[in-house]
Amino acid sequence: MKLIVTKSYEESCSAAADIILQLVKNKPTAKFGFATGSTPIPIYKKMAEACKAGTADFANARTVNLDEYCGIAPNHPQSYRYFMDTNLFNNININKANTFVANGLGDVNANAAELEEKIFEGGAPDLQLLGIGNNGHIGFNEAGDHLIAPSHVETLTPSTIEANARFFASPAEVPTQAITMGMRGIMAAGQLLLVATGAGKAEAIKGLLIDDAVTTQNPATFLKLHPNAVVIIDSELAALAGVK
Ligand code: PGA
């Protein structure tokens, strides 16, 4: 695992954007696995800026997203399709037909199976961008006594619902289930790029960077098994997690 410790979250996002932009430059048909949540927003802004400046070209890139809430429509302001459109896809020159976010409505088990197909269609993503939950979840693969390999419907833990309640009018409105890429799809990517910031992530990052254990109680620890995983954190989080 490669660790990059930056001076600030802003710098972490620049470093992550640089890796993404370099990849699409080297391989214009690159396939990206993208993530939602607060953490990647500045990364997506930097990608949009590069596109606007004419230094990046996503015209031939393809994407597949980690997850989507069950029970809300793609045009719902808290859906991850809406998030990706407004934070990234509308702001870069990607062909939206080449972007995939699972549908949270209808037969969600069938939609999860469709996500699994899209992950591997034409080959697994060249790069998968990841955030990390306070409990170590990646995608919505929640901490627990086991993990699930294929894309599936996951029941969100109370800690995840609480963490995501900030985006909804009340915790009761947070969907209780989500479609998520499983560990197989995530681990199949050519490169994993995890960005984390904030005190809430310290325990999970400690488990990832300090301990040697790989445990389903902290799904991010599976990055230790990936041959090309890059973790980017700022010095504040590094200090809180005890990373020297
Ligand atoms: P966040 O979410 O970027 O909003 O902290 C990360 C995650 O839950 O994976």
Side-chain angles (χ1 to χ4, degrees), residues 19 25 28 42 44-45 62 72 112 121-122 169 171 177-178 182 194 208 224 227:
I19 291 170
K25 197 170 199 172
Y44 296 151
K45 278 212 178 90
R62 292 171 300 146
I72 61 178
E121 191 176 82
Q177 291 192 312
L194 186 146
L208 175 60
K224 296 173 200 182

mmCIF file with all atom_site columns, all heavy atoms in Angstrom, residues 19 25 28 42 44-45 62 72 112 121-122 169 171 177-178 182 194 208 224 227:
data_model
loop_
_atom_site.group_PDB
_atom_site.id
_atom_site.type_symbol
_atom_site.label_atom_id
_atom_site.label_alt_id
_atom_site.label_comp_id
_atom_site.label_asym_id
_atom_site.label_entity_id
_atom_site.label_seq_id
_atom_site.pdbx_PDB_ins_code
_atom_site.Cartn_x
_atom_site.Cartn_y
_atom_site.Cartn_z
_atom_site.occupancy
_atom_site.B_iso_or_equiv
_atom_site.pdbx_formal_charge
_atom_site.auth_seq_id
_atom_site.auth_comp_id
_atom_site.auth_asym_id
_atom_site.auth_atom_id
_atom_site.pdbx_PDB_model_num
ATOM 1   N N   . ILE A 1 19  ? -3.784  12.146 -9.892  1.00 0.00 ? 19  ILE A N   1
ATOM 2   C CA  . ILE A 1 19  ? -3.680  10.720 -10.254 1.00 0.00 ? 19  ILE A CA  1
ATOM 3   C C   . ILE A 1 19  ? -4.751  10.368 -11.297 1.00 0.00 ? 19  ILE A C   1
ATOM 4   O O   . ILE A 1 19  ? -4.479  9.696  -12.296 1.00 0.00 ? 19  ILE A O   1
ATOM 5   C CB  . ILE A 1 19  ? -3.792  9.834  -8.989  1.00 0.00 ? 19  ILE A CB  1
ATOM 6   C CG1 . ILE A 1 19  ? -2.550  10.027 -8.113  1.00 0.00 ? 19  ILE A CG1 1
ATOM 7   C CG2 . ILE A 1 19  ? -3.969  8.358  -9.367  1.00 0.00 ? 19  ILE A CG2 1
ATOM 8   C CD1 . ILE A 1 19  ? -2.635  9.400  -6.722  1.00 0.00 ? 19  ILE A CD1 1
ATOM 9   N N   . LYS A 1 25  ? -5.170  10.890 -19.139 1.00 0.00 ? 25  LYS A N   1
ATOM 10  C CA  . LYS A 1 25  ? -4.241  11.393 -20.162 1.00 0.00 ? 25  LYS A CA  1
ATOM 11  C C   . LYS A 1 25  ? -3.515  10.219 -20.827 1.00 0.00 ? 25  LYS A C   1
ATOM 12  O O   . LYS A 1 25  ? -3.412  10.142 -22.048 1.00 0.00 ? 25  LYS A O   1
ATOM 13  C CB  . LYS A 1 25  ? -3.226  12.317 -19.474 1.00 0.00 ? 25  LYS A CB  1
ATOM 14  C CG  . LYS A 1 25  ? -2.483  13.217 -20.408 1.00 0.00 ? 25  LYS A CG  1
ATOM 15  C CD  . LYS A 1 25  ? -1.707  14.234 -19.585 1.00 0.00 ? 25  LYS A CD  1
ATOM 16  C CE  . LYS A 1 25  ? -1.331  15.414 -20.428 1.00 0.00 ? 25  LYS A CE  1
ATOM 17  N NZ  . LYS A 1 25  ? -0.755  16.481 -19.610 1.00 0.00 ? 25  LYS A NZ  1
ATOM 18  N N   . PRO A 1 28  ? -7.021  7.443  -22.606 1.00 0.00 ? 28  PRO A N   1
ATOM 19  C CA  . PRO A 1 28  ? -8.271  8.211  -22.783 1.00 0.00 ? 28  PRO A CA  1
ATOM 20  C C   . PRO A 1 28  ? -9.531  7.376  -22.634 1.00 0.00 ? 28  PRO A C   1
ATOM 21  O O   . PRO A 1 28  ? -10.592 7.900  -22.317 1.00 0.00 ? 28  PRO A O   1
ATOM 22  C CB  . PRO A 1 28  ? -8.144  8.765  -24.208 1.00 0.00 ? 28  PRO A CB  1
ATOM 23  C CG  . PRO A 1 28  ? -6.672  8.771  -24.481 1.00 0.00 ? 28  PRO A CG  1
ATOM 24  C CD  . PRO A 1 28  ? -6.102  7.594  -23.739 1.00 0.00 ? 28  PRO A CD  1
ATOM 25  N N   . PRO A 1 42  ? -14.228 18.108 -3.733  1.00 0.00 ? 42  PRO A N   1
ATOM 26  C CA  . PRO A 1 42  ? -13.168 18.969 -4.304  1.00 0.00 ? 42  PRO A CA  1
ATOM 27  C C   . PRO A 1 42  ? -12.350 18.271 -5.402  1.00 0.00 ? 42  PRO A C   1
ATOM 28  O O   . PRO A 1 42  ? -11.814 18.939 -6.295  1.00 0.00 ? 42  PRO A O   1
ATOM 29  C CB  . PRO A 1 42  ? -12.280 19.299 -3.100  1.00 0.00 ? 42  PRO A CB  1
ATOM 30  C CG  . PRO A 1 42  ? -13.137 19.049 -1.902  1.00 0.00 ? 42  PRO A CG  1
ATOM 31  C CD  . PRO A 1 42  ? -14.042 17.917 -2.285  1.00 0.00 ? 42  PRO A CD  1
ATOM 32  N N   . TYR A 1 44  ? -13.651 16.261 -7.638  1.00 0.00 ? 44  TYR A N   1
ATOM 33  C CA  . TYR A 1 44  ? -14.481 16.416 -8.832  1.00 0.00 ? 44  TYR A CA  1
ATOM 34  C C   . TYR A 1 44  ? -14.414 17.857 -9.353  1.00 0.00 ? 44  TYR A C   1
ATOM 35  O O   . TYR A 1 44  ? -14.438 18.087 -10.558 1.00 0.00 ? 44  TYR A O   1
ATOM 36  C CB  . TYR A 1 44  ? -15.916 15.976 -8.533  1.00 0.00 ? 44  TYR A CB  1
ATOM 37  C CG  . TYR A 1 44  ? -16.040 14.491 -8.200  1.00 0.00 ? 44  TYR A CG  1
ATOM 38  C CD1 . TYR A 1 44  ? -17.032 14.003 -7.370  1.00 0.00 ? 44  TYR A CD1 1
ATOM 39  C CD2 . TYR A 1 44  ? -15.137 13.569 -8.739  1.00 0.00 ? 44  TYR A CD2 1
ATOM 40  C CE1 . TYR A 1 44  ? -17.141 12.646 -7.079  1.00 0.00 ? 44  TYR A CE1 1
ATOM 41  C CE2 . TYR A 1 44  ? -15.235 12.211 -8.448  1.00 0.00 ? 44  TYR A CE2 1
ATOM 42  C CZ  . TYR A 1 44  ? -16.238 11.753 -7.618  1.00 0.00 ? 44  TYR A CZ  1
ATOM 43  O OH  . TYR A 1 44  ? -16.330 10.416 -7.334  1.00 0.00 ? 44  TYR A OH  1
ATOM 44  N N   . LYS A 1 45  ? -14.310 18.820 -8.445  1.00 0.00 ? 45  LYS A N   1
ATOM 45  C CA  . LYS A 1 45  ? -14.185 20.233 -8.866  1.00 0.00 ? 45  LYS A CA  1
ATOM 46  C C   . LYS A 1 45  ? -12.904 20.425 -9.664  1.00 0.00 ? 45  LYS A C   1
ATOM 47  O O   . LYS A 1 45  ? -12.887 21.099 -10.695 1.00 0.00 ? 45  LYS A O   1
ATOM 48  C CB  . LYS A 1 45  ? -14.135 21.140 -7.625  1.00 0.00 ? 45  LYS A CB  1
ATOM 49  C CG  . LYS A 1 45  ? -15.470 21.462 -7.045  1.00 0.00 ? 45  LYS A CG  1
ATOM 50  C CD  . LYS A 1 45  ? -15.470 22.864 -6.405  1.00 0.00 ? 45  LYS A CD  1
ATOM 51  C CE  . LYS A 1 45  ? -16.846 23.192 -5.866  1.00 0.00 ? 45  LYS A CE  1
ATOM 52  N NZ  . LYS A 1 45  ? -17.025 22.781 -4.467  1.00 0.00 ? 45  LYS A NZ  1
ATOM 53  N N   . ARG A 1 62  ? -15.096 5.916  -19.306 1.00 0.00 ? 62  ARG A N   1
ATOM 54  C CA  . ARG A 1 62  ? -16.307 5.231  -18.830 1.00 0.00 ? 62  ARG A CA  1
ATOM 55  C C   . ARG A 1 62  ? -16.276 5.218  -17.303 1.00 0.00 ? 62  ARG A C   1
ATOM 56  O O   . ARG A 1 62  ? -15.190 5.204  -16.710 1.00 0.00 ? 62  ARG A O   1
ATOM 57  C CB  . ARG A 1 62  ? -16.341 3.786  -19.342 1.00 0.00 ? 62  ARG A CB  1
ATOM 58  C CG  . ARG A 1 62  ? -16.528 3.682  -20.844 1.00 0.00 ? 62  ARG A CG  1
ATOM 59  C CD  . ARG A 1 62  ? -16.327 2.248  -21.321 1.00 0.00 ? 62  ARG A CD  1
ATOM 60  N NE  . ARG A 1 62  ? -14.982 1.773  -21.014 1.00 0.00 ? 62  ARG A NE  1
ATOM 61  C CZ  . ARG A 1 62  ? -14.684 0.519  -20.702 1.00 0.00 ? 62  ARG A CZ  1
ATOM 62  N NH1 . ARG A 1 62  ? -15.620 -0.398 -20.634 1.00 0.00 ? 62  ARG A NH1 1
ATOM 63  N NH2 . ARG A 1 62  ? -13.436 0.162  -20.453 1.00 0.00 ? 62  ARG A NH2 1
ATOM 64  N N   . ILE A 1 72  ? -35.024 5.652  -3.602  1.00 0.00 ? 72  ILE A N   1
ATOM 65  C CA  . ILE A 1 72  ? -35.164 7.027  -4.092  1.00 0.00 ? 72  ILE A CA  1
ATOM 66  C C   . ILE A 1 72  ? -34.815 7.069  -5.577  1.00 0.00 ? 72  ILE A C   1
ATOM 67  O O   . ILE A 1 72  ? -33.986 6.306  -6.065  1.00 0.00 ? 72  ILE A O   1
ATOM 68  C CB  . ILE A 1 72  ? -34.372 8.083  -3.259  1.00 0.00 ? 72  ILE A CB  1
ATOM 69  C CG1 . ILE A 1 72  ? -32.874 7.828  -3.253  1.00 0.00 ? 72  ILE A CG1 1
ATOM 70  C CG2 . ILE A 1 72  ? -34.903 8.174  -1.844  1.00 0.00 ? 72  ILE A CG2 1
ATOM 71  C CD1 . ILE A 1 72  ? -32.099 8.896  -2.473  1.00 0.00 ? 72  ILE A CD1 1
ATOM 72  N N   . ALA A 1 112 ? -28.789 -4.630 -8.560  1.00 0.00 ? 112 ALA A N   1
ATOM 73  C CA  . ALA A 1 112 ? -27.456 -4.944 -8.028  1.00 0.00 ? 112 ALA A CA  1
ATOM 74  C C   . ALA A 1 112 ? -26.724 -5.888 -8.989  1.00 0.00 ? 112 ALA A C   1
ATOM 75  O O   . ALA A 1 112 ? -25.522 -5.735 -9.232  1.00 0.00 ? 112 ALA A O   1
ATOM 76  C CB  . ALA A 1 112 ? -27.572 -5.574 -6.642  1.00 0.00 ? 112 ALA A CB  1
ATOM 77  N N   . GLU A 1 121 ? -17.958 -5.309 -17.344 1.00 0.00 ? 121 GLU A N   1
ATOM 78  C CA  . GLU A 1 121 ? -18.204 -5.155 -18.781 1.00 0.00 ? 121 GLU A CA  1
ATOM 79  C C   . GLU A 1 121 ? -17.013 -4.443 -19.437 1.00 0.00 ? 121 GLU A C   1
ATOM 80  O O   . GLU A 1 121 ? -16.666 -3.324 -19.052 1.00 0.00 ? 121 GLU A O   1
ATOM 81  C CB  . GLU A 1 121 ? -19.478 -4.317 -18.975 1.00 0.00 ? 121 GLU A CB  1
ATOM 82  C CG  . GLU A 1 121 ? -20.027 -4.282 -20.361 1.00 0.00 ? 121 GLU A CG  1
ATOM 83  C CD  . GLU A 1 121 ? -21.343 -3.500 -20.379 1.00 0.00 ? 121 GLU A CD  1
ATOM 84  O OE1 . GLU A 1 121 ? -21.282 -2.256 -20.435 1.00 0.00 ? 121 GLU A OE1 1
ATOM 85  O OE2 . GLU A 1 121 ? -22.411 -4.128 -20.294 1.00 0.00 ? 121 GLU A OE2 1
ATOM 86  N N   . GLY A 1 122 ? -16.376 -5.092 -20.371 1.00 0.00 ? 122 GLY A N   1
ATOM 87  C CA  . GLY A 1 122 ? -15.212 -4.492 -21.025 1.00 0.00 ? 122 GLY A CA  1
ATOM 88  C C   . GLY A 1 122 ? -13.988 -4.423 -20.114 1.00 0.00 ? 122 GLY A C   1
ATOM 89  O O   . GLY A 1 122 ? -13.006 -3.753 -20.426 1.00 0.00 ? 122 GLY A O   1
ATOM 90  N N   . ALA A 1 169 ? -33.609 15.796 5.710   1.00 0.00 ? 169 ALA A N   1
ATOM 91  C CA  . ALA A 1 169 ? -34.324 16.648 6.670   1.00 0.00 ? 169 ALA A CA  1
ATOM 92  C C   . ALA A 1 169 ? -34.297 16.025 8.066   1.00 0.00 ? 169 ALA A C   1
ATOM 93  O O   . ALA A 1 169 ? -34.241 16.738 9.070   1.00 0.00 ? 169 ALA A O   1
ATOM 94  C CB  . ALA A 1 169 ? -35.759 16.857 6.203   1.00 0.00 ? 169 ALA A CB  1
ATOM 95  N N   . PRO A 1 171 ? -33.166 12.005 10.334  1.00 0.00 ? 171 PRO A N   1
ATOM 96  C CA  . PRO A 1 171 ? -32.597 10.651 10.187  1.00 0.00 ? 171 PRO A CA  1
ATOM 97  C C   . PRO A 1 171 ? -33.615 9.653  9.641   1.00 0.00 ? 171 PRO A C   1
ATOM 98  O O   . PRO A 1 171 ? -33.259 8.719  8.921   1.00 0.00 ? 171 PRO A O   1
ATOM 99  C CB  . PRO A 1 171 ? -32.180 10.287 11.616  1.00 0.00 ? 171 PRO A CB  1
ATOM 100 C CG  . PRO A 1 171 ? -32.019 11.592 12.326  1.00 0.00 ? 171 PRO A CG  1
ATOM 101 C CD  . PRO A 1 171 ? -32.978 12.548 11.690  1.00 0.00 ? 171 PRO A CD  1
ATOM 102 N N   . GLN A 1 177 ? -31.492 1.060  3.166   1.00 0.00 ? 177 GLN A N   1
ATOM 103 C CA  . GLN A 1 177 ? -30.776 0.080  2.356   1.00 0.00 ? 177 GLN A CA  1
ATOM 104 C C   . GLN A 1 177 ? -30.134 0.761  1.161   1.00 0.00 ? 177 GLN A C   1
ATOM 105 O O   . GLN A 1 177 ? -30.593 1.825  0.714   1.00 0.00 ? 177 GLN A O   1
ATOM 106 C CB  . GLN A 1 177 ? -31.744 -0.993 1.855   1.00 0.00 ? 177 GLN A CB  1
ATOM 107 C CG  . GLN A 1 177 ? -32.256 -1.889 2.975   1.00 0.00 ? 177 GLN A CG  1
ATOM 108 C CD  . GLN A 1 177 ? -32.964 -3.108 2.420   1.00 0.00 ? 177 GLN A CD  1
ATOM 109 O OE1 . GLN A 1 177 ? -33.811 -2.984 1.547   1.00 0.00 ? 177 GLN A OE1 1
ATOM 110 N NE2 . GLN A 1 177 ? -32.593 -4.282 2.916   1.00 0.00 ? 177 GLN A NE2 1
ATOM 111 N N   . ALA A 1 178 ? -29.104 0.125  0.646   1.00 0.00 ? 178 ALA A N   1
ATOM 112 C CA  . ALA A 1 178 ? -28.431 0.656  -0.544  1.00 0.00 ? 178 ALA A CA  1
ATOM 113 C C   . ALA A 1 178 ? -27.920 -0.502 -1.385  1.00 0.00 ? 178 ALA A C   1
ATOM 114 O O   . ALA A 1 178 ? -27.648 -1.583 -0.856  1.00 0.00 ? 178 ALA A O   1
ATOM 115 C CB  . ALA A 1 178 ? -27.264 1.549  -0.134  1.00 0.00 ? 178 ALA A CB  1
ATOM 116 N N   . GLY A 1 182 ? -19.787 -5.018 -4.274  1.00 0.00 ? 182 GLY A N   1
ATOM 117 C CA  . GLY A 1 182 ? -19.246 -5.847 -3.204  1.00 0.00 ? 182 GLY A CA  1
ATOM 118 C C   . GLY A 1 182 ? -17.732 -5.772 -3.189  1.00 0.00 ? 182 GLY A C   1
ATOM 119 O O   . GLY A 1 182 ? -17.121 -5.019 -3.945  1.00 0.00 ? 182 GLY A O   1
ATOM 120 N N   . LEU A 1 194 ? -7.894  5.742  -2.093  1.00 0.00 ? 194 LEU A N   1
ATOM 121 C CA  . LEU A 1 194 ? -8.749  6.083  -0.959  1.00 0.00 ? 194 LEU A CA  1
ATOM 122 C C   . LEU A 1 194 ? -8.308  7.417  -0.368  1.00 0.00 ? 194 LEU A C   1
ATOM 123 O O   . LEU A 1 194 ? -7.130  7.622  -0.081  1.00 0.00 ? 194 LEU A O   1
ATOM 124 C CB  . LEU A 1 194 ? -8.692  4.975  0.096   1.00 0.00 ? 194 LEU A CB  1
ATOM 125 C CG  . LEU A 1 194 ? -9.642  5.125  1.289   1.00 0.00 ? 194 LEU A CG  1
ATOM 126 C CD1 . LEU A 1 194 ? -10.130 3.751  1.778   1.00 0.00 ? 194 LEU A CD1 1
ATOM 127 C CD2 . LEU A 1 194 ? -9.010  5.874  2.459   1.00 0.00 ? 194 LEU A CD2 1
ATOM 128 N N   . LEU A 1 208 ? -6.420  0.606  9.228   1.00 0.00 ? 208 LEU A N   1
ATOM 129 C CA  . LEU A 1 208 ? -5.893  0.416  7.873   1.00 0.00 ? 208 LEU A CA  1
ATOM 130 C C   . LEU A 1 208 ? -4.375  0.584  7.828   1.00 0.00 ? 208 LEU A C   1
ATOM 131 O O   . LEU A 1 208 ? -3.681  -0.178 7.156   1.00 0.00 ? 208 LEU A O   1
ATOM 132 C CB  . LEU A 1 208 ? -6.571  1.424  6.929   1.00 0.00 ? 208 LEU A CB  1
ATOM 133 C CG  . LEU A 1 208 ? -6.071  1.482  5.491   1.00 0.00 ? 208 LEU A CG  1
ATOM 134 C CD1 . LEU A 1 208 ? -6.228  0.144  4.791   1.00 0.00 ? 208 LEU A CD1 1
ATOM 135 C CD2 . LEU A 1 208 ? -6.815  2.568  4.713   1.00 0.00 ? 208 LEU A CD2 1
ATOM 136 N N   . LYS A 1 224 ? -5.215  -3.737 2.183   1.00 0.00 ? 224 LYS A N   1
ATOM 137 C CA  . LYS A 1 224 ? -3.867  -4.299 2.416   1.00 0.00 ? 224 LYS A CA  1
ATOM 138 C C   . LYS A 1 224 ? -3.578  -5.461 1.485   1.00 0.00 ? 224 LYS A C   1
ATOM 139 O O   . LYS A 1 224 ? -2.433  -5.838 1.300   1.00 0.00 ? 224 LYS A O   1
ATOM 140 C CB  . LYS A 1 224 ? -3.747  -4.778 3.871   1.00 0.00 ? 224 LYS A CB  1
ATOM 141 C CG  . LYS A 1 224 ? -3.850  -3.665 4.891   1.00 0.00 ? 224 LYS A CG  1
ATOM 142 C CD  . LYS A 1 224 ? -3.903  -4.219 6.315   1.00 0.00 ? 224 LYS A CD  1
ATOM 143 C CE  . LYS A 1 224 ? -4.481  -3.183 7.249   1.00 0.00 ? 224 LYS A CE  1
ATOM 144 N NZ  . LYS A 1 224 ? -4.527  -3.628 8.643   1.00 0.00 ? 224 LYS A NZ  1
ATOM 145 N N   . PRO A 1 227 ? -2.733  -5.117 -4.715  1.00 0.00 ? 227 PRO A N   1
ATOM 146 C CA  . PRO A 1 227 ? -1.344  -4.823 -5.108  1.00 0.00 ? 227 PRO A CA  1
ATOM 147 C C   . PRO A 1 227 ? -1.080  -3.364 -5.453  1.00 0.00 ? 227 PRO A C   1
ATOM 148 O O   . PRO A 1 227 ? 0.077   -2.945 -5.536  1.00 0.00 ? 227 PRO A O   1
ATOM 149 C CB  . PRO A 1 227 ? -1.144  -5.719 -6.347  1.00 0.00 ? 227 PRO A CB  1
ATOM 150 C CG  . PRO A 1 227 ? -2.520  -6.015 -6.848  1.00 0.00 ? 227 PRO A CG  1
ATOM 151 C CD  . PRO A 1 227 ? -3.421  -5.995 -5.653  1.00 0.00 ? 227 PRO A CD  1
#
